[in-house]
Amino acid sequence: MARKKVYDDDDGRTIADMSGTYQAQPFSFKRKQSENEKPEKSEKDSSEFSFSNDERKMYVLGALSSALLIALAFIVGLGLIVLLMLLIWT
């Protein structure tokens, strides 16, 4: 382990104790369950997604094609701006 850096002006006092500020799930809006309640499991739980290989390929190709379409729109727009600037200044 690395040694802790010692500064000349450090007198060892704690300015702000941050030990109790950690939360496991910040911004969790779920209702807290009592110890007696057990969560009901539905038939298809949201954490148990399973895609077939074909479905996975289609999702990946759909995401890539939409990203490429947006990138193409930006490239065409930038090209038109450059063309317009060249026409105005020459």
Side-chain angles (χ1 to χ4, degrees):
M1 285 180 56
R3 300 189 108 199
K4 191 174 181 180
K5 290 184 181 180
V6 178
Y7 297 100
D8 295 334
D9 59 346
D10 186 16
D11 58 1
R13 292 182 293 166
T14 301
I15 304 300
D17 183 22
M18 301 297 286
S19 62
T21 59
Y22 176 75
Q23 293 179 349
Q25 294 179 350
F27 308 115
S28 176
F29 296 110
K30 293 182 180 177
R31 180 177 61 91
K32 291 186 179 181
Q33 298 175 355
S34 64
E35 295 176 8
N36 299 345
E37 292 183 27
K38 290 185 179 178
E40 298 177 10
K41 290 195 174 187
S42 62
E43 290 181 13
K44 192 159 191 161
D45 193 10
S46 63
S47 62
E48 297 177 8
F49 284 118
S50 60
F51 297 120
S52 67
N53 286 338
D54 291 335
E55 289 176 334
R56 187 174 293 123
K57 283 180 189 177
M58 292 308 293
Y59 277 116
V60 168
L61 289 176
L64 285 175
S65 63
S66 62
L68 288 174
L69 184 63
I70 293 171
L72 180 67
F74 277 105
I75 290 171
V76 168
L78 184 64
L80 289 175
I81 290 173
V82 169
L83 181 67
L84 183 65
M85 288 181 183
L86 286 174
L87 290 175
I88 291 173
W89 286 323
T90 56

Coordinates of all heavy atoms in Angstrom, one line a residue:
M1 N 0.8 -1.2 0.0 CA 0.0 0.0 0.0 C 0.9 1.2 0.0 O 2.0 1.3 0.6 CB -0.9 0.0 1.2 CG -2.0 -1.0 1.2 SD -3.1 -1.0 2.6 CE -3.6 0.7 2.7
A2 N 0.4 2.3 -0.6 CA 1.1 3.5 -0.7 C 1.0 4.3 0.7 O 0.0 4.1 1.4 CB 0.6 4.4 -1.8
R3 N 2.0 5.0 1.0 CA 1.9 5.8 2.2 C 1.1 7.0 2.0 O 1.0 7.6 0.9 CB 3.3 6.2 2.6 CG 4.2 5.0 2.9 CD 5.5 5.4 3.5 NE 5.4 5.0 4.9 CZ 6.2 5.4 5.8 NH1 7.0 6.4 5.6 NH2 6.0 5.0 7.0
K4 N 0.4 7.5 3.0 CA -0.4 8.6 3.0 C 0.5 9.9 2.9 O 1.5 10.0 3.6 CB -1.3 8.7 4.2 CG -2.4 9.7 4.2 CD -3.3 9.6 5.4 CE -4.4 10.6 5.3 NZ -5.2 10.5 6.5
K5 N 0.1 10.8 2.0 CA 0.9 12.0 1.9 C 0.8 12.9 3.1 O -0.3 13.0 3.7 CB 0.5 12.8 0.7 CG 0.9 12.2 -0.6 CD 0.5 13.1 -1.8 CE 0.8 12.5 -3.1 NZ 0.5 13.3 -4.2
V6 N 1.9 13.4 3.6 CA 1.8 14.3 4.8 C 2.2 15.7 4.3 O 3.2 15.9 3.6 CB 2.9 13.9 5.8 CG1 2.9 14.8 7.0 CG2 2.6 12.4 6.3
Y7 N 1.3 16.6 4.6 CA 1.4 18.0 4.2 C 2.0 18.8 5.4 O 1.7 18.5 6.5 CB 0.1 18.6 3.7 CG -0.4 17.9 2.4 CD1 -1.4 16.9 2.5 CD2 0.2 18.2 1.2 CE1 -1.8 16.3 1.4 CE2 -0.3 17.6 0.1 CZ -1.3 16.6 0.1 OH -1.7 16.0 -1.0
D8 N 2.7 19.9 5.1 CA 3.3 20.7 6.1 C 2.2 21.4 6.9 O 2.4 21.6 8.2 CB 4.2 21.7 5.5 CG 5.5 21.1 4.9 OD1 5.8 20.0 5.3 OD2 6.0 21.7 4.0
D9 N 1.1 21.9 6.3 CA 0.1 22.7 7.0 C -1.0 21.8 7.6 O -2.0 22.3 8.0 CB -0.4 23.7 6.1 CG -1.1 23.2 4.9 OD1 -0.8 22.0 4.6 OD2 -1.8 23.9 4.2
D10 N -0.9 20.5 7.5 CA -1.9 19.6 8.0 C -1.7 19.4 9.5 O -0.7 18.9 10.0 CB -1.8 18.3 7.3 CG -3.0 17.3 7.7 OD1 -4.0 17.8 8.3 OD2 -2.9 16.1 7.4
D11 N -2.8 19.8 10.3 CA -2.7 19.6 11.8 C -3.5 18.4 12.2 O -3.6 18.1 13.4 CB -3.1 20.8 12.5 CG -4.6 21.2 12.1 OD1 -5.2 20.5 11.3 OD2 -5.0 22.3 12.7
G12 N -4.1 17.6 11.3 CA -4.7 16.4 11.7 C -6.2 16.5 12.0 O -6.9 15.5 12.3
R13 N -6.8 17.7 12.0 CA -8.2 17.9 12.4 C -9.1 17.4 11.2 O -8.7 17.5 10.1 CB -8.5 19.4 12.7 CG -7.8 19.9 13.9 CD -8.2 21.3 14.2 NE -7.6 22.1 13.1 CZ -8.0 23.4 12.9 NH1 -8.9 23.9 13.6 NH2 -7.4 24.1 11.9
T14 N -10.2 16.9 11.6 CA -11.2 16.5 10.6 C -12.1 17.7 10.3 O -12.8 18.2 11.2 CB -12.1 15.4 11.1 OG1 -11.2 14.3 11.4 CG2 -13.1 14.9 10.1
I15 N -12.1 18.1 9.1 CA -13.0 19.3 8.7 C -14.4 18.9 8.5 O -15.3 19.4 9.1 CB -12.4 20.0 7.4 CG1 -11.0 20.4 7.6 CG2 -13.3 21.1 7.0 CD1 -10.7 21.3 8.7
A16 N -14.6 17.8 7.7 CA -16.0 17.3 7.5 C -15.9 15.8 7.5 O -15.3 15.2 6.7 CB -16.5 17.8 6.1
D17 N -16.6 15.2 8.5 CA -16.7 13.8 8.6 C -17.7 13.2 7.6 O -18.9 13.5 7.6 CB -17.1 13.4 10.0 CG -17.1 11.9 10.2 OD1 -16.4 11.2 9.4 OD2 -17.8 11.4 11.1
M18 N -17.2 12.5 6.6 CA -18.0 12.0 5.5 C -18.3 10.5 5.7 O -18.7 9.8 4.7 CB -17.3 12.2 4.2 CG -17.0 13.7 3.9 SD -18.5 14.7 3.7 CE -19.1 14.2 2.2
S19 N -18.1 9.9 6.8 CA -18.2 8.5 7.0 C -19.7 8.0 7.0 O -19.9 6.9 6.6 CB -17.6 8.1 8.3 OG -18.3 8.7 9.4
G20 N -20.6 8.9 7.3 CA -22.0 8.4 7.3 C -22.8 8.9 6.2 O -24.1 8.8 6.2
T21 N -22.2 9.3 5.1 CA -23.0 9.9 4.0 C -23.2 8.9 2.9 O -23.9 9.2 1.9 CB -22.3 11.1 3.4 OG1 -21.0 10.7 2.9 CG2 -22.1 12.2 4.4
Y22 N -22.7 7.7 2.9 CA -22.8 6.7 1.9 C -24.2 6.1 1.9 O -24.7 5.7 3.0 CB -21.7 5.6 2.0 CG -21.9 4.5 1.0 CD1 -21.6 4.7 -0.4 CD2 -22.4 3.3 1.3 CE1 -21.7 3.8 -1.3 CE2 -22.6 2.3 0.4 CZ -22.2 2.5 -0.9 OH -22.4 1.6 -1.8
Q23 N -24.9 6.0 0.8 CA -26.1 5.3 0.7 C -26.0 4.2 -0.4 O -25.3 4.5 -1.4 CB -27.2 6.2 0.2 CG -27.6 7.2 1.3 CD -28.7 8.1 0.7 OE1 -29.1 8.1 -0.4 NE2 -29.3 8.9 1.6
A24 N -26.5 3.1 -0.1 CA -26.4 2.0 -1.1 C -27.1 2.3 -2.4 O -26.6 2.0 -3.5 CB -26.9 0.7 -0.5
Q25 N -28.3 2.9 -2.3 CA -29.0 3.2 -3.5 C -29.5 4.6 -3.4 O -30.6 4.9 -2.9 CB -30.2 2.3 -3.7 CG -29.9 0.9 -3.9 CD -31.1 0.0 -4.0 OE1 -32.2 0.4 -3.7 NE2 -30.9 -1.2 -4.5
P26 N -28.7 5.6 -3.9 CA -29.2 7.0 -3.8 C -30.3 7.2 -4.8 O -30.4 6.5 -5.8 CB -28.0 7.8 -4.2 CG -27.1 6.8 -5.0 CD -27.4 5.5 -4.4
F27 N -31.2 8.0 -4.4 CA -32.4 8.3 -5.2 C -33.3 7.1 -5.4 O -33.9 7.0 -6.5 CB -32.0 8.9 -6.6 CG -31.1 10.1 -6.5 CD1 -29.8 10.0 -7.0 CD2 -31.5 11.2 -5.9 CE1 -28.9 11.0 -6.9 CE2 -30.6 12.3 -5.8 CZ -29.3 12.2 -6.3
S28 N -33.4 6.3 -4.4 CA -34.3 5.1 -4.5 C -35.7 5.6 -4.0 O -35.8 6.0 -2.9 CB -33.8 4.0 -3.7 OG -34.7 2.9 -3.7
F29 N -36.7 5.4 -4.9 CA -38.0 5.8 -4.5 C -38.9 4.6 -4.2 O -40.1 4.8 -4.1 CB -38.7 6.6 -5.7 CG -38.0 7.9 -5.9 CD1 -37.2 8.1 -7.1 CD2 -38.0 8.9 -5.0 CE1 -36.6 9.2 -7.4 CE2 -37.4 10.1 -5.3 CZ -36.6 10.3 -6.4
K30 N -38.3 3.5 -4.0 CA -39.1 2.3 -3.7 C -39.5 2.3 -2.2 O -38.8 2.9 -1.3 CB -38.3 1.0 -3.9 CG -38.0 0.8 -5.4 CD -37.2 -0.5 -5.6 CE -37.0 -0.7 -7.0 NZ -36.2 -1.9 -7.2
R31 N -40.7 1.7 -1.9 CA -41.1 1.7 -0.6 C -40.3 0.6 0.2 O -40.0 -0.5 -0.3 CB -42.6 1.2 -0.6 CG -43.2 1.1 0.8 CD -44.7 0.8 0.7 NE -44.9 -0.5 0.0 CZ -45.0 -1.7 0.6 NH1 -44.9 -1.7 1.9 NH2 -45.2 -2.8 -0.1
K32 N -39.9 1.0 1.4 CA -39.1 0.0 2.1 C -39.9 -1.1 2.6 O -41.0 -0.9 3.1 CB -38.4 0.8 3.3 CG -37.3 1.7 2.9 CD -36.6 2.3 4.1 CE -35.5 3.2 3.7 NZ -34.8 3.8 4.8
Q33 N -39.4 -2.3 2.5 CA -40.2 -3.5 2.9 C -39.9 -3.8 4.4 O -38.7 -3.7 4.8 CB -39.9 -4.7 2.1 CG -40.2 -4.4 0.6 CD -39.7 -5.6 -0.2 OE1 -39.1 -6.5 0.2 NE2 -40.1 -5.6 -1.5
S34 N -40.9 -4.3 5.1 CA -40.6 -4.7 6.4 C -40.0 -6.1 6.4 O -40.0 -6.8 5.3 CB -41.9 -4.7 7.3 OG -42.8 -5.7 6.7
E35 N -39.6 -6.6 7.5 CA -38.9 -7.9 7.5 C -39.9 -9.0 7.2 O -39.6 -10.1 6.7 CB -38.3 -8.1 8.9 CG -37.1 -7.2 9.1 CD -36.6 -7.4 10.5 OE1 -36.9 -8.3 11.2 OE2 -35.7 -6.6 10.9
N36 N -41.2 -8.8 7.5 CA -42.2 -9.8 7.3 C -42.6 -10.0 5.8 O -43.0 -11.1 5.4 CB -43.5 -9.5 8.1 CG -43.2 -9.5 9.6 OD1 -42.1 -9.9 10.0 ND2 -44.1 -8.9 10.4
E37 N -42.5 -8.9 5.1 CA -42.9 -8.9 3.7 C -41.8 -9.5 2.8 O -40.7 -9.2 3.0 CB -43.2 -7.5 3.2 CG -44.4 -6.9 3.8 CD -44.7 -5.5 3.2 OE1 -44.3 -5.3 2.0 OE2 -45.2 -4.7 3.9
K38 N -42.2 -10.3 1.9 CA -41.3 -10.9 0.9 C -41.7 -10.4 -0.4 O -42.9 -10.3 -0.7 CB -41.3 -12.4 0.9 CG -40.7 -13.0 2.2 CD -40.6 -14.5 2.1 CE -40.0 -15.0 3.4 NZ -40.0 -16.5 3.3
P39 N -40.8 -10.0 -1.3 CA -41.2 -9.5 -2.6 C -41.8 -10.6 -3.4 O -41.4 -11.7 -3.4 CB -39.9 -9.0 -3.2 CG -38.8 -9.7 -2.5 CD -39.4 -10.0 -1.1
E40 N -42.9 -10.2 -4.1 CA -43.6 -11.2 -5.0 C -42.8 -11.2 -6.3 O -42.5 -10.2 -6.9 CB -45.0 -10.8 -5.2 CG -45.8 -10.7 -4.0 CD -47.2 -10.2 -4.2 OE1 -47.6 -10.1 -5.4 OE2 -48.0 -10.0 -3.3
K41 N -42.6 -12.4 -6.7 CA -41.9 -12.6 -8.0 C -42.9 -12.8 -9.1 O -43.8 -13.6 -9.0 CB -40.9 -13.7 -8.0 CG -39.7 -13.5 -7.1 CD -38.6 -14.5 -7.4 CE -37.4 -14.1 -6.6 NZ -36.3 -14.9 -7.0
S42 N -42.9 -12.0 -10.1 CA -43.8 -12.1 -11.3 C -43.2 -13.2 -12.2 O -42.1 -13.7 -12.0 CB -43.9 -10.8 -12.0 OG -42.7 -10.4 -12.5
E43 N -44.0 -13.6 -13.2 CA -43.6 -14.6 -14.1 C -42.3 -14.2 -14.8 O -41.4 -15.0 -15.0 CB -44.7 -14.9 -15.1 CG -45.9 -15.6 -14.5 CD -46.9 -15.9 -15.5 OE1 -46.6 -15.8 -16.7 OE2 -48.1 -16.2 -15.2
K44 N -42.3 -13.0 -15.3 CA -41.1 -12.5 -16.0 C -40.5 -11.4 -15.3 O -41.0 -10.2 -15.4 CB -41.5 -12.2 -17.4 CG -40.3 -12.0 -18.3 CD -40.6 -12.1 -19.7 CE -39.3 -12.1 -20.5 NZ -39.6 -12.7 -21.8
D45 N -39.5 -11.6 -14.4 CA -38.9 -10.5 -13.6 C -38.1 -9.7 -14.6 O -37.5 -10.1 -15.5 CB -38.0 -11.2 -12.5 CG -37.6 -10.2 -11.5 OD1 -38.2 -9.0 -11.5 OD2 -36.8 -10.5 -10.7
S46 N -38.0 -8.4 -14.2 CA -37.3 -7.4 -15.1 C -35.8 -7.7 -15.1 O -35.1 -7.3 -16.0 CB -37.6 -6.0 -14.7 OG -37.1 -5.8 -13.4
S47 N -35.3 -8.4 -14.1 CA -33.8 -8.6 -14.1 C -33.5 -9.9 -14.8 O -32.3 -10.3 -14.9 CB -33.3 -8.7 -12.7 OG -34.0 -9.8 -12.0
E48 N -34.4 -10.6 -15.4 CA -34.2 -11.9 -16.0 C -34.5 -11.8 -17.5 O -35.3 -12.6 -18.0 CB -35.0 -13.0 -15.4 CG -34.6 -13.3 -13.9 CD -35.5 -14.3 -13.3 OE1 -36.3 -15.0 -14.0 OE2 -35.4 -14.5 -12.1
F49 N -33.9 -10.9 -18.2 CA -34.1 -10.8 -19.7 C -33.2 -11.8 -20.3 O -32.0 -11.9 -20.0 CB -33.7 -9.4 -20.2 CG -34.8 -8.4 -19.9 CD1 -34.5 -7.3 -19.1 CD2 -36.0 -8.5 -20.4 CE1 -35.4 -6.4 -18.8 CE2 -37.0 -7.6 -20.1 CZ -36.7 -6.5 -19.3
S50 N -33.7 -12.6 -21.2 CA -32.9 -13.5 -22.0 C -33.3 -13.3 -23.5 O -34.5 -13.5 -23.8 CB -33.1 -14.9 -21.6 OG -34.4 -15.3 -21.7
F51 N -32.4 -13.0 -24.3 CA -32.6 -12.8 -25.7 C -32.0 -13.9 -26.5 O -30.9 -14.4 -26.1 CB -32.0 -11.5 -26.2 CG -32.6 -10.3 -25.6 CD1 -31.8 -9.4 -24.9 CD2 -34.0 -10.0 -25.7 CE1 -32.3 -8.2 -24.3 CE2 -34.5 -8.8 -25.2 CZ -33.7 -8.0 -24.5
S52 N -32.6 -14.3 -27.6 CA -32.0 -15.3 -28.5 C -30.9 -14.6 -29.2 O -30.8 -13.3 -29.2 CB -33.0 -15.9 -29.4 OG -33.5 -14.9 -30.3
N53 N -30.1 -15.3 -29.9 CA -29.0 -14.7 -30.7 C -29.5 -13.8 -31.8 O -29.0 -12.8 -32.1 CB -28.1 -15.8 -31.3 CG -27.2 -16.4 -30.2 OD1 -27.0 -15.8 -29.2 ND2 -26.8 -17.6 -30.5
D54 N -30.6 -14.2 -32.4 CA -31.2 -13.4 -33.5 C -31.7 -12.1 -33.0 O -31.5 -11.0 -33.6 CB -32.3 -14.2 -34.3 CG -31.7 -15.3 -35.1 OD1 -30.5 -15.3 -35.4 OD2 -32.5 -16.3 -35.3
E55 N -32.4 -12.2 -31.8 CA -32.9 -10.9 -31.2 C -31.8 -10.0 -30.8 O -31.9 -8.8 -31.0 CB -33.8 -11.3 -30.0 CG -35.1 -11.9 -30.3 CD -35.9 -12.3 -29.1 OE1 -35.3 -12.6 -28.0 OE2 -37.1 -12.4 -29.2
R56 N -30.8 -10.6 -30.2 CA -29.6 -9.8 -29.8 C -29.0 -9.1 -31.0 O -28.6 -7.9 -31.0 CB -28.6 -10.6 -29.1 CG -27.5 -9.8 -28.5 CD -26.6 -10.7 -27.6 NE -27.3 -11.2 -26.4 CZ -27.4 -12.4 -26.1 NH1 -26.9 -13.4 -26.9 NH2 -28.1 -12.8 -25.0
K57 N -28.8 -9.8 -32.1 CA -28.2 -9.2 -33.3 C -29.1 -8.1 -33.9 O -28.6 -7.0 -34.3 CB -28.1 -10.3 -34.4 CG -26.9 -11.2 -34.2 CD -26.9 -12.2 -35.4 CE -25.9 -13.3 -35.1 NZ -25.9 -14.3 -36.2
M58 N -30.4 -8.3 -33.8 CA -31.3 -7.2 -34.3 C -31.3 -6.0 -33.5 O -31.3 -4.9 -34.0 CB -32.7 -7.8 -34.4 CG -32.9 -8.8 -35.5 SD -32.3 -8.4 -37.1 CE -33.4 -7.1 -37.5
Y59 N -31.2 -6.2 -32.1 CA -31.1 -5.0 -31.3 C -29.8 -4.2 -31.5 O -29.7 -3.0 -31.6 CB -31.2 -5.4 -29.8 CG -32.6 -5.6 -29.3 CD1 -33.0 -6.8 -28.9 CD2 -33.4 -4.5 -29.2 CE1 -34.3 -7.0 -28.4 CE2 -34.7 -4.6 -28.8 CZ -35.2 -5.9 -28.4 OH -36.4 -6.0 -28.0
V60 N -28.7 -5.0 -31.7 CA -27.4 -4.3 -31.9 C -27.4 -3.6 -33.2 O -26.9 -2.5 -33.3 CB -26.2 -5.4 -31.8 CG1 -24.9 -4.8 -32.3 CG2 -26.1 -5.9 -30.4
L61 N -27.9 -4.3 -34.3 CA -27.9 -3.6 -35.6 C -28.9 -2.4 -35.6 O -28.6 -1.4 -36.3 CB -28.3 -4.7 -36.6 CG -27.3 -5.7 -37.0 CD1 -27.9 -6.7 -38.0 CD2 -26.1 -5.1 -37.5
G62 N -29.9 -2.5 -34.9 CA -30.9 -1.4 -34.8 C -30.2 -0.2 -34.1 O -30.3 1.0 -34.6
A63 N -29.5 -0.4 -33.0 CA -28.8 0.6 -32.3 C -27.7 1.3 -33.2 O -27.5 2.5 -33.2 CB -28.3 0.1 -31.0
L64 N -26.9 0.4 -33.8 CA -25.8 0.9 -34.7 C -26.4 1.7 -35.9 O -25.8 2.7 -36.2 CB -25.0 -0.3 -35.1 CG -24.0 -0.9 -34.1 CD1 -23.3 -2.1 -34.7 CD2 -23.0 0.2 -33.6
S65 N -27.4 1.2 -36.5 CA -27.9 1.9 -37.6 C -28.5 3.3 -37.2 O -28.4 4.3 -38.0 CB -29.0 1.1 -38.4 OG -30.1 0.8 -37.5
S66 N -29.2 3.4 -36.1 CA -29.7 4.7 -35.7 C -28.6 5.6 -35.3 O -28.6 6.8 -35.6 CB -30.7 4.5 -34.5 OG -30.0 3.9 -33.4
A67 N -27.5 5.1 -34.7 CA -26.4 6.0 -34.4 C -25.7 6.4 -35.6 O -25.3 7.6 -35.7 CB -25.4 5.2 -33.5
L68 N -25.5 5.6 -36.6 CA -24.9 6.0 -37.9 C -25.8 7.0 -38.7 O -25.3 7.9 -39.3 CB -24.6 4.7 -38.7 CG -23.5 3.9 -38.3 CD1 -23.4 2.6 -39.1 CD2 -22.2 4.6 -38.3
L69 N -27.1 6.8 -38.6 CA -28.0 7.7 -39.2 C -27.9 9.1 -38.6 O -27.8 10.1 -39.3 CB -29.4 7.3 -39.1 CG -30.5 8.1 -39.8 CD1 -30.2 8.0 -41.3 CD2 -31.9 7.5 -39.5
I70 N -27.8 9.2 -37.3 CA -27.6 10.5 -36.6 C -26.2 11.1 -37.0 O -26.1 12.3 -37.3 CB -27.8 10.3 -35.1 CG1 -29.2 10.0 -34.8 CG2 -27.4 11.6 -34.4 CD1 -29.5 9.6 -33.4
A71 N -25.2 10.3 -37.0 CA -23.9 10.8 -37.4 C -23.8 11.3 -38.8 O -23.2 12.3 -39.1 CB -22.8 9.6 -37.2
L72 N -24.5 10.6 -39.7 CA -24.6 11.0 -41.1 C -25.3 12.4 -41.2 O -24.9 13.2 -42.0 CB -25.4 10.0 -41.9 CG -25.5 10.3 -43.4 CD1 -24.2 10.2 -44.1 CD2 -26.5 9.3 -44.0
A73 N -26.3 12.6 -40.4 CA -27.0 13.9 -40.4 C -26.1 15.0 -40.0 O -26.1 16.1 -40.6 CB -28.3 13.8 -39.6
F74 N -25.3 14.7 -39.0 CA -24.3 15.7 -38.5 C -23.3 16.0 -39.6 O -22.9 17.1 -39.8 CB -23.7 15.3 -37.2 CG -24.5 15.7 -36.0 CD1 -25.2 14.7 -35.3 CD2 -24.6 17.0 -35.5 CE1 -25.9 15.0 -34.2 CE2 -25.3 17.3 -34.4 CZ -26.0 16.3 -33.8
I75 N -22.8 14.9 -40.2 CA -21.7 15.1 -41.2 C -22.3 15.9 -42.4 O -21.6 16.8 -43.0 CB -21.2 13.7 -41.6 CG1 -20.4 13.2 -40.5 CG2 -20.3 13.8 -42.9 CD1 -19.9 11.7 -40.7
V76 N -23.5 15.6 -42.9 CA -24.1 16.3 -44.0 C -24.3 17.8 -43.6 O -24.0 18.7 -44.4 CB -25.4 15.6 -44.4 CG1 -26.2 16.5 -45.4 CG2 -25.1 14.3 -45.1
G77 N -24.8 18.0 -42.4 CA -25.0 19.4 -42.0 C -23.7 20.2 -41.9 O -23.6 21.3 -42.3
L78 N -22.6 19.5 -41.4 CA -21.3 20.2 -41.3 C -20.8 20.5 -42.7 O -20.2 21.5 -43.0 CB -20.3 19.3 -40.5 CG -19.0 19.9 -40.3 CD1 -19.1 21.2 -39.5 CD2 -18.1 18.9 -39.6
G79 N -21.0 19.5 -43.7 CA -20.6 19.7 -45.0 C -21.3 20.8 -45.7 O -20.7 21.6 -46.5
L80 N -22.6 21.0 -45.5 CA -23.3 22.1 -46.0 C -22.9 23.4 -45.5 O -22.8 24.4 -46.2 CB -24.8 21.9 -45.8 CG -25.5 20.8 -46.6 CD1 -27.0 20.6 -46.1 CD2 -25.4 21.1 -48.0
I81 N -22.6 23.5 -44.2 CA -22.1 24.7 -43.6 C -20.7 25.1 -44.2 O -20.5 26.3 -44.6 CB -22.0 24.6 -42.1 CG1 -23.4 24.5 -41.5 CG2 -21.2 25.7 -41.5 CD1 -23.4 24.2 -40.0
V82 N -19.8 24.1 -44.4 CA -18.5 24.4 -45.0 C -18.7 24.8 -46.4 O -18.1 25.8 -46.9 CB -17.6 23.1 -44.9 CG1 -16.4 23.3 -45.8 CG2 -17.2 22.9 -43.5
L83 N -19.6 24.2 -47.2 CA -19.9 24.6 -48.6 C -20.4 26.0 -48.6 O -20.0 26.8 -49.5 CB -20.8 23.6 -49.2 CG -21.2 23.9 -50.7 CD1 -19.9 23.7 -51.5 CD2 -22.3 23.0 -51.1
L84 N -21.3 26.3 -47.7 CA -21.9 27.7 -47.7 C -20.8 28.7 -47.4 O -20.8 29.8 -48.0 CB -23.0 27.7 -46.7 CG -23.8 29.1 -46.6 CD1 -24.5 29.3 -47.9 CD2 -24.7 29.0 -45.4
M85 N -20.0 28.4 -46.5 CA -18.9 29.3 -46.1 C -17.9 29.5 -47.3 O -17.4 30.7 -47.6 CB -18.1 28.8 -44.9 CG -18.8 29.0 -43.6 SD -17.8 28.4 -42.3 CE -18.9 28.5 -40.9
L86 N -17.6 28.5 -48.0 CA -16.7 28.6 -49.2 C -17.4 29.4 -50.3 O -16.7 30.2 -51.0 CB -16.4 27.2 -49.7 CG -15.4 26.4 -48.9 CD1 -15.2 25.0 -49.5 CD2 -14.0 27.1 -48.9
L87 N -18.7 29.3 -50.5 CA -19.4 30.0 -51.5 C -19.4 31.5 -51.1 O -19.3 32.4 -52.0 CB -20.8 29.5 -51.7 CG -20.9 28.1 -52.4 CD1 -22.3 27.7 -52.5 CD2 -20.3 28.2 -53.8
I88 N -19.6 31.8 -49.9 CA -19.7 33.2 -49.4 C -18.3 33.9 -49.5 O -18.2 35.0 -49.9 CB -20.3 33.3 -48.0 CG1 -21.7 32.9 -48.0 CG2 -20.1 34.7 -47.4 CD1 -22.4 32.8 -46.7
W89 N -17.3 33.2 -49.0 CA -16.0 33.9 -48.9 C -15.1 33.8 -50.2 O -14.0 34.3 -50.2 CB -15.2 33.3 -47.7 CG -15.8 33.9 -46.4 CD1 -16.3 35.1 -46.2 CD2 -15.9 33.1 -45.2 NE1 -16.8 35.2 -44.9 CE2 -16.5 34.0 -44.3 CE3 -15.6 31.8 -44.8 CZ2 -16.8 33.6 -43.0 CZ3 -15.9 31.5 -43.5 CH2 -16.5 32.3 -42.6
T90 N -15.5 33.1 -51.2 CA -14.7 33.0 -52.4 C -15.3 33.8 -53.5 O -16.4 34.2 -53.6 CB -14.4 31.6 -52.8 OG1 -15.6 30.9 -53.0 CG2 -13.5 30.9 -51.8

